[in-house]
Amino acid sequence: MSGIAGYVNMFGDAVDEATLRRMARQLEPRGPAGESIVRQDRVGLVQRRRTTPTSPLRAGGGRYLWVYDGEVYNHTELRAALTELGESVPDEPGEVLFASWRRWGAAGLDRCDGMFAIAVLDTETGELVLARDPSGARPLYLAADDSGRVAFGSSLRAVLAAGVVPRRPDNITVYRYIRYGALDDTERTFFDRISRLLPGELATISPAGQVRRETYSRCYAELELLAAARRPYDAEAEQQLAAELAAARQRRGGDAAANLPELATEPPPADAAPPTLAELVEFIRTQHEPVGSPAAYGQFRHLAAAPARAAVLLAGDATAYHPGPGVRRWAALAGRWPDRFGRWLHWHPTTPATRLLGAEFAAAHAEDPPPYAVGAPLDGSAMAASARRPAPPLGWPATWLRQLLPPGGLAHEHPPAVVFQRRLAASLRYADRNAARFATTVRAPLLDPALLRLLWSLGPIAGPVRGAAERRAVAGWLSRLAPVIEQVFTSGSFVGRRYFDQPAVLEDYRGFLAGRRRVDPLLFWRLVNLELWLAEWIDRDPTWPPANTQVEYYRCAEPAPGEPVALDAAAQLDAAESTQERLGSNLRRTSPTTSVTSEIRSSNANPR
């Protein structure tokens, strides 16, 4: 794993090296071994690597400056192909990635089997090109103002450190997250005027500071053609899937694939020890944005407790994406309205999320688009109208029908571009952030191109809807988290937010614990995530303390009855040390010489 960043100031002074070093400092968890910085007039590029940087950052006789983050698994084959064409390419994955782009343009990126983000500056034309791999396994964020300044980076911290745009929340993203649970399904982030480059997308920044974005990858169209000519899903296909998955593990994991541990993607079990508030704060700082599923926290705890490893495999069974004729019949029954049918089948009396929103905030965003629905554009009026249509009150028949579903729930089918650019983005973000936090690399066999072709030849990928059993497990775990959640919901900062109706939130949460309210438990999880993210990333400057050191913790003492808790205070030292023991020594992997107590004292001595 590594990290890249850059700063463009088309109409101002030359790029300040201090700004680039400030951005590089925020990338240290992704690349602690060293940094490379290069400036060319009004453009500066930064790269940090986990090993000593070997890329020269210059090529083509000095015409091109480039940086990259990632891995290319078929670099040996690509290098051979380039050599046959007369290219002289060093035997290094990043060099092969750049040479493929220079030889074949955007089509060359499609030839690369890997996880990568790359930035290339053509010093002759003045154009800067940014691109992400088609699977979207490596992040790349972009911020631009109206005066020709652009910042990009593998980390939101690095982009924020450039100071191109003010640090404030994007209210549309916040509303869609609370109401619908929408997450990472568009280019918008939780930060206003900071966007993410979508998987398989390329952005060109012109010498005039204009940003043009386009999807370069053709793999989505190829997979869709394979899905259209669907082959039977039978015992032979299932065996072939298992064999291809084993081969993908070998290609992605190398000779050590059999010994690499798997990174779980399941929520914590109901009987798992609940985290403290300090642990949740550390988790939110790790993720950079709110998360939608407790599974992300389960990954975080798993890596914190595990021995240090260079790489882990993202868990997944390819056969789970095509779970057999029974589930596929339920998906067919949904027909052209899978999301509507899913809401109809899983309906039960529940508190709408809008009841818990601040009145002015809810009214201002009532027309914001819900998550993607099959057959409708993201911002389509038809989808918004469908989301506002009330679900029928089925009562006990709905409960009975839900019991007939397999454990994974109803299967929704999505075209390839939707799977990679909207559905998988959040899960891959969770894994990438957690891996960077604990100095490891995630390998994802299910993103192997050969395996993906086989999967889609059996029909569109089926993404299971959360089943009743999983909801109960999440509800049980969140119930055990009640003291921490209550502490957040009664805090002074939560009470003062315009996003929430705090009395309604507290009433419904206590009713949920007492069994008087039927509420989706993940709604409360989202509210806690959002409040802690606002406190950590908006109320305070997340670039201080530096990203490679321990964070300050909130005060975790139990509040007096009816007394709000101030979430903006530094933690007590004993609470921080207790948290360090709970999470294990692996939390210090990226900063072995920095103690928790010294970091807190440093933060208190340097008010922001």
Side-chain angles (χ1 to χ4, degrees):
M1 181 174 288
S2 52
I4 63 175
Y7 184 82
V8 180
N9 189 9
M10 291 300 184
F11 305 118
D13 298 331
V15 175
D16 181 12
E17 184 171 348
T19 299
L20 296 176
R21 293 203 177 278
R22 191 164 61 246
M23 297 174 74
R25 184 82 182 271
Q26 304 305 319
L27 294 171
E28 284 188 21
R30 302 186 69 89
E35 67 187 35
S36 296
I37 294 178
V38 62
R39 291 185 294 164
Q40 179 75 24
D41 297 330
R42 292 177 172 80
V43 180
L45 301 178
V46 174
Q47 176 172 276
R48 293 199 67 100
R49 300 289 298 275
R50 182 146 290 165
T51 56
T52 303
T54 57
S55 299
L57 296 174
R58 295 180 182 268
R63 173 180 176 177
Y64 297 102
L65 305 178
W66 60 280
V67 290
Y68 90 103
D69 163 28
E71 303 176 70
V72 179
Y73 302 112
N74 63 339
H75 66 91
T76 302
E77 296 87 342
L78 280 175
R79 181 171 179 267
L82 289 164
T83 301
E84 288 183 3
L85 295 173
E87 299 280 351
S88 177
V89 184
D91 190 15
E92 203 271 336
E95 298 280 359
V96 174
L97 175 64
F98 168 75
S100 297
W101 175 84
R102 189 174 61 171
R103 180 76 189 191
W104 297 299
L109 301 178
D110 248 352
R111 292 173 178 247
C112 298
D113 168 21
M115 309 183 296
F116 58 83
I118 186 170
V120 181
L121 173 67
D122 186 335
T123 61
E124 289 188 3
T125 65
E127 283 192 341
L128 176 65
V129 174
L130 312 176
R132 285 180 75 191
D133 69 271
S135 66
R138 291 296 169 88
L140 197 59
Y141 297 96
L142 185 67
D145 67 5
D146 299 325
S147 62
R149 293 194 305 163
V150 180
F152 70 88
S154 303
S155 162
L156 283 165
R157 278 196 182 97
V159 176
L160 291 170
V164 169
V165 295
R167 190 181 71 252
R168 60 190 181 202
D170 182 87
N171 288 334
I172 292 178
T173 301
V174 168
Y175 177 84
R176 296 178 70 244
Y177 172 69
I178 299 175
R179 182 174 180 184
Y180 305 114
L183 202 64
D184 295 4
D185 64 339
T186 73
E187 70 276 3
R188 305 181 84 107
T189 70
F190 279 84
F191 292 92
D192 185 32
R193 303 180 70 182
I194 299 181
S195 63
R196 64 173 53 82
L197 211 61
L198 294 176
E201 193 174 44
L202 181 145
T204 302
I205 304 171
S206 72
Q210 298 173 334
V211 180
R212 185 181 72 255
R213 301 167 69 135
E214 59 182 312
T215 297
Y216 73 83
S217 181
R218 299 179 58 85
C219 75
Y220 308 138
E222 178 188 352
L223 294 177
E224 198 156 0
L225 288 174
L226 288 171
R230 181 181 302 188
R231 56 175 284 193
Y233 181 83
D234 50 22
E236 180 183 354
E238 191 168 341
Q239 292 176 1
Q240 190 176 354
L241 271 177
E244 191 61 51
L245 178 61
R249 289 172 63 101
Q250 178 68 26
R251 288 190 290 266
R252 292 280 168 141
D255 296 334
N259 299 320
L260 288 180
E262 287 199 348
L263 183 61
T265 55
E266 297 296 325
D271 58 351
T276 65
L277 180 58
E279 290 169 351
L280 282 182
V281 169
E282 172 70 8
F283 168 68
I284 292 299
R285 285 184 61 83
T286 295
Q287 285 295 320
H288 295 193
E289 296 180 275
V291 305
S293 168
Y297 179 74
Q299 286 184 354
F300 178 82
R301 287 299 300 266
H302 174 79
L303 287 173
R309 292 184 182 273
V312 295
L313 289 176
L314 191 62
D317 179 2
T319 59
Y321 288 83
H322 288 277
V327 175
R328 299 191 72 80
R329 278 198 296 270
W330 281 104
L333 182 61
R336 291 164 293 176
W337 309 283
D339 289 298
R340 189 183 310 169
F341 184 81
R343 287 196 301 272
W344 177 81
L345 188 61
H346 289 284
W347 187 92
H348 57 272
T350 184
T351 297
T354 50
R355 167 179 151 78
L356 308 185
L357 294 173
E360 292 184 5
F361 176 66
H365 295 276
E367 299 299 320
D368 289 351
Y372 173 83
V374 174
L378 179 65
D379 56 353
S381 58
M383 181 174 54
S386 173
R388 291 194 296 270
R389 187 176 295 115
L394 295 180
W396 69 264
T399 303
W400 178 73
L401 285 172
R402 284 198 298 271
Q403 291 172 351
L404 296 182
L405 287 176
L410 183 69
H412 289 180
E413 295 183 350
H414 302 285
V418 172
V419 169
F420 290 108
Q421 294 189 335
R422 304 187 192 276
R423 309 295 293 189
L424 282 179
S427 297
L428 293 175
R429 190 244 295 179
Y430 303 160
D432 176 82
R433 299 296 187 281
N434 286 330
R437 177 65 183 83
F438 296 103
T440 189
T441 298
V442 171
R443 308 281 173 79
L446 283 173
L447 301 181
D448 180 81
L451 179 60
L452 289 175
R453 293 188 188 97
L454 176 58
L455 279 168
W456 252 282
S457 71
L458 300 170
I461 287 292
V465 169
R466 222 170 40 246
E470 184 176 349
R471 285 177 182 271
R472 285 194 296 270
V474 170
W477 184 74
L478 290 179
S479 296
R480 301 191 64 189
L481 197 57
V484 172
I485 296 178
E486 181 96 5
Q487 190 174 346
V488 172
F489 289 168
T490 57
S491 67
S493 57
F494 189 88
V495 172
R497 305 280 185 204
R498 61 186 291 260
Y499 300 118
F500 315 121
D501 183 339
Q502 191 266 351
V505 170
L506 204 56
E507 177 186 349
D508 282 9
Y509 180 64
R510 290 170 176 171
F512 165 76
L513 292 178
R516 299 190 306 269
R517 294 274 187 183
R518 301 293 299 274
V519 186
D520 183 354
L522 287 180
L523 175 57
F524 298 121
W525 170 254
R526 295 198 296 271
L527 294 177
V528 169
N529 266 257
L530 181 60
E531 169 56 30
L532 295 184
W533 174 79
L534 289 166
E536 278 294 298
W537 287 83
I538 301 299
D539 297 349
R540 64 183 300 276
D541 184 353
T543 65
W544 177 270
N548 67 319
T549 57
Q550 286 300 302
V551 302
E552 66 180 52
Y553 289 91
Y554 294 136
R555 194 175 301 277
C556 294
E558 287 296 326
E563 178 187 349
V565 179
L567 290 183
D568 56 352
Q572 298 175 13
L573 299 184
D574 56 348
E577 291 169 347
S578 173
T579 299
Q580 184 72 35
E581 294 174 1
R582 285 171 58 89
L583 289 178
S585 60
N586 288 327
L587 278 177
R588 295 190 181 210
R589 254 179 241 160
T590 59
S591 54
T593 61
T594 305
S595 70
V596 178
T597 54
S598 66
E599 179 52 39
I600 293 175
R601 288 171 182 145
S602 174
S603 298
N604 290 340
N606 295 275
R608 293 165 298 282

